[in-house]
Amino acid sequence: MNIGSETEQIEFKKSTGELNEGIVSIAAILNKHQSGELYFGVKNDGTVLGQEIGDSTLRTVSQSIRNHIRPMIYPEIMMKDYNGSKVVYVKFSGTRCPYTAFNIARIRVADEDVVMDQETYEDMMRKRDNISGYSWESQVSKYQLEDVNEEALQAYLRKAQEANRITFEYTDKKSVLGTLGLLEGDYLLNAGVALFCECGLNELQMAKFATNERLTFTDIRRFTGSIMTLKDKAEQYVIDAMDWKAEITGLSRKEIPEVPVAAVREAIINSFGHKLFEAGQANEVAVYRDRIEIYSPGEFPKNHSPESFVKENIAPIRRNALITRTLYYSQDMEAFATGLKRIQNLCDEAGCKVEFKTVQGGFVVCFYRKTEEASLAKVDNRVHDRVHDEVHVDEYDDTLNVEENILKFCTIARSRAEIIEFCGLKSRAQFATRYLMPLIESNKLAMTIPDKPKSKNQKYLTI
């Protein structure tokens, strides 16, 4: 069987034995076209050879891409079947050129991957470093005024007026967004979409884990929406998860959280304001027995450490200048590189340990909880009141949302046990009939070993 020819955006490799060469091609294609496709198990002329695809094949491809391409990308990886011949299919995209593979930048020319010349590399770096007109947030989106959450926009303006940072009155969406510099004609810039549109541009994932490790969770929720909506959901989730103690002085009672709420609020808004939107990753809130972590996609500024922003007076480094400026007007965020310092000071005053972590592809603010012993001594009723048989999504559970989460989770081959644990399902007996088989029968999910449905090595992939 023949599936076509190689092009500047399509690359064929005979097998994953040529994985490193394939990774080089991905980076070269991204630098030329910002998107492309790669097939393992296909000859250069398009003839499908097929290859053995084991339990770890797709995972190995995913990990190799993640480890050797910079900036990091998050491709779609799956198995495809051509008349019984299995191939590994990789679909990728990215706009943060230049990309390097194994620390070398190349660019696609016809069907070759040529080492990039210095002038082209430097030009791409200037564009990536947010020189005016090139930043992601300043690009015109497909969203229009009708997509704006007007209630959130009005609430924002009131807050900015109360902070005395905006003086004009609300008239209509177009006037306000135009004045804020978030509009071009009737179309929003990406910054405006991120701030005020309830679409899938922003994703927030929140979870509570049963222990101090990222293993078994007792609650998981996912939301999409505007920064203005998601920041409040994230803050409330942490407030509900924390333990509080009461201090009584005379006739007055004061509730004190184990982690300062103002510090949590600062960490959450910073995680949205400074995130790398192009990465396509979700912001995360993770509640463990001993700590609470706020994760933001996007590596920390090069040649700087979090400690330097806490201890020194460093000029602000703005990944998203339009977004942070807009949040500054409403006093949600300060624009002078003082966020980490405020978090540290608030935690010091409250006697709460905080740690700033740079991790691969992102940044984490970690608050250590004061009441770990009390939390371990009891099963928090507030958690168990919310635990149902399915994953929590958008504040309610139904079959459709569980299926959607399974499909998202299975972009990499997963076992039945992994899917059940991910979804937090109690009833294993109903899992196959209620979720698994309907997805397979509707051709949304495929078995990696279709001729042996009951194989102990069986896994499932999103089609």
Side-chain angles (χ1 to χ4, degrees):
M1 181 178 180
N2 191 287
I3 59 173
S5 304
E6 285 186 328
T7 68
E8 284 204 335
Q9 287 183 267
I10 298 176
E11 176 73 12
F12 298 142
K13 296 297 180 186
K14 292 180 180 179
S15 74
T16 48
E18 298 179 311
L19 179 55
N20 287 353
E21 292 86 346
I23 290 172
V24 168
S25 293
I26 289 175
I29 292 170
L30 285 172
N31 286 332
K32 184 68 171 286
H33 296 286
Q34 289 76 63
S35 66
E37 301 169 69
L38 171 64
Y39 295 78
F40 291 103
V42 182
K43 289 177 64 175
N44 290 347
D45 63 5
T47 302
V48 176
L49 298 173
Q51 74 160 77
E52 291 291 327
I53 299 178
D55 293 343
S56 62
T57 303
L58 299 183
R59 188 183 311 115
T60 298
V61 173
S62 174
Q63 290 174 347
S64 296
I65 292 173
R66 185 168 64 249
N67 291 338
H68 298 301
I69 291 182
R70 290 292 180 274
M72 290 178 67
I73 63 171
Y74 299 88
E76 178 184 351
I77 304 173
M78 65 177 67
M79 178 191 72
K80 285 194 172 185
D81 192 311
Y82 294 96
N83 295 333
S85 297
K86 298 181 178 65
V87 304
V88 176
Y89 171 72
V90 183
K91 184 177 182 180
F92 51 90
S93 62
T95 58
R96 299 185 66 215
C97 304
Y99 289 89
T100 63
F102 304 99
N103 300 316
I104 298 175
R106 293 177 172 82
I107 193 163
R108 192 74 161 180
V109 179
D111 59 353
E112 293 185 299
D113 306 320
V114 180
V115 174
M116 188 180 296
D117 65 272
Q118 188 68 24
E119 184 178 350
T120 300
Y121 180 84
E122 291 176 353
D123 183 57
M124 286 186 177
M125 284 298 296
R126 285 193 293 270
K127 292 178 181 179
R128 193 173 84 186
D129 288 341
N130 286 350
I131 290 180
S132 178
Y134 289 113
S135 66
W136 171 88
E137 63 171 359
S138 66
Q139 295 174 12
V140 179
S141 76
K142 64 180 180 181
Y143 295 94
Q144 297 180 272
L145 290 166
E146 62 190 32
D147 299 305
V148 172
N149 181 337
E150 187 165 17
E151 183 179 342
L153 181 61
Q154 290 175 331
Y156 162 82
L157 191 63
R158 287 194 298 271
K159 192 173 181 181
Q161 290 169 336
E162 291 169 1
N164 294 318
R165 293 179 177 179
I166 281 180
T167 57
F168 61 86
E169 295 296 325
Y170 187 91
T171 52
D172 55 76
K173 289 187 286 187
K174 187 170 186 177
S175 298
V176 173
L177 291 167
T179 304
L180 292 172
L182 302 174
L183 199 64
E184 185 166 312
D186 289 332
Y187 289 87
L188 279 79
L189 303 186
N190 281 334
V193 179
L195 286 160
F196 298 112
C197 290
E198 307 301 329
C199 61
L201 187 63
N202 292 302
E203 184 177 3
L204 171 65
Q205 177 174 295
M206 303 182 288
K208 298 187 185 79
F209 294 90
T211 66
N212 296 338
E213 298 183 18
R214 200 181 185 93
L215 295 172
T216 304
F217 56 75
T218 58
D219 181 57
I220 185 168
R221 305 187 185 196
R222 289 183 182 82
F223 299 93
T224 58
S226 67
I227 290 176
M228 294 303 171
T229 299
L230 295 183
K231 69 181 179 65
D232 293 337
K233 289 184 181 293
E235 181 182 335
Q236 193 60 51
Y237 192 82
V238 175
I239 288 173
D240 291 343
M242 285 195 297
D243 288 324
W244 295 64
K245 68 177 181 179
E247 284 190 356
I248 300 176
T249 304
L251 298 177
S252 300
R253 175 187 175 94
K254 184 178 181 182
E255 297 285 342
I256 301 175
E258 55 184 331
V259 177
V261 172
V264 170
R265 184 180 298 122
E266 186 77 31
I268 289 170
I269 196 63
N270 281 335
S271 77
F272 283 106
H274 296 302
K275 74 177 288 185
L276 177 65
F277 286 88
E278 302 99 305
Q281 279 187 294
N283 292 66
E284 295 182 8
V285 174
V287 179
Y288 300 89
R289 286 292 187 186
D290 67 336
R291 67 195 186 281
I292 298 170
E293 293 186 348
I294 313 295
Y295 169 80
S296 177
E299 295 177 350
F300 205 75
K302 291 184 182 299
N303 303 319
H304 290 83
S305 68
E307 290 73 22
S308 62
F309 281 90
V310 173
K311 297 177 181 178
E312 304 170 21
N313 294 319
I314 296 178
I317 300 173
R318 302 184 184 94
R319 175 176 280 137
N320 305 304
L322 279 175
I323 291 174
T324 53
R325 183 188 68 191
T326 306
L327 293 171
Y328 168 79
Y329 291 150
S330 60
Q331 218 167 12
D332 284 296
M333 176 180 283
E334 295 298 339
F336 304 105
T338 57
L340 297 186
K341 187 175 295 186
R342 279 199 301 279
I343 292 172
Q344 184 69 63
N345 290 341
L346 288 164
C347 288
D348 288 345
E349 292 172 6
C352 170
K353 180 184 175 183
V354 63
E355 186 178 3
F356 306 113
K357 302 178 182 180
T358 55
V359 298
Q360 190 175 48
F363 178 68
V364 175
V365 179
C366 178
F367 299 100
Y368 288 92
R369 304 177 67 180
K370 291 182 179 180
T371 55
E372 183 188 3
E373 291 183 7
S375 295
L376 289 171
K378 65 179 182 178
V379 178
D380 193 340
N381 290 329
R382 289 172 300 172
V383 171
H384 280 267
D385 285 345
R386 297 192 188 101
V387 177
H388 302 294
D389 285 345
E390 288 83 34
V391 178
H392 289 277
V393 180
D394 292 345
E395 298 179 329
Y396 65 92
D397 294 330
D398 59 25
T399 299
L400 178 60
N401 284 319
V402 175
E403 289 181 350
E404 288 176 352
N405 280 278
I406 290 173
L407 294 175
K408 288 181 182 179
F409 185 58
C410 290
T411 53
I412 297 175
R414 310 285 189 178
S415 68
R416 180 180 296 208
E418 288 175 324
I419 299 170
I420 290 172
E421 181 178 358
F422 174 79
C423 292
L425 302 176
K426 289 183 178 180
S427 176
R428 291 174 177 260
Q430 294 182 11
F431 170 69
T433 56
R434 188 172 180 183
Y435 305 113
L436 195 60
M437 293 312 299
L439 287 172
I440 293 173
E441 290 169 359
S442 61
N443 293 320
K444 294 179 180 179
L445 201 67
M447 291 182 284
T448 56
I449 313 175
D451 54 333
K452 296 181 180 179
K454 296 184 179 180
S455 171
K456 65 178 181 180
N457 297 319
Q458 186 69 260
K459 292 192 176 184
Y460 304 88
L461 265 175
T462 300
I463 299 176

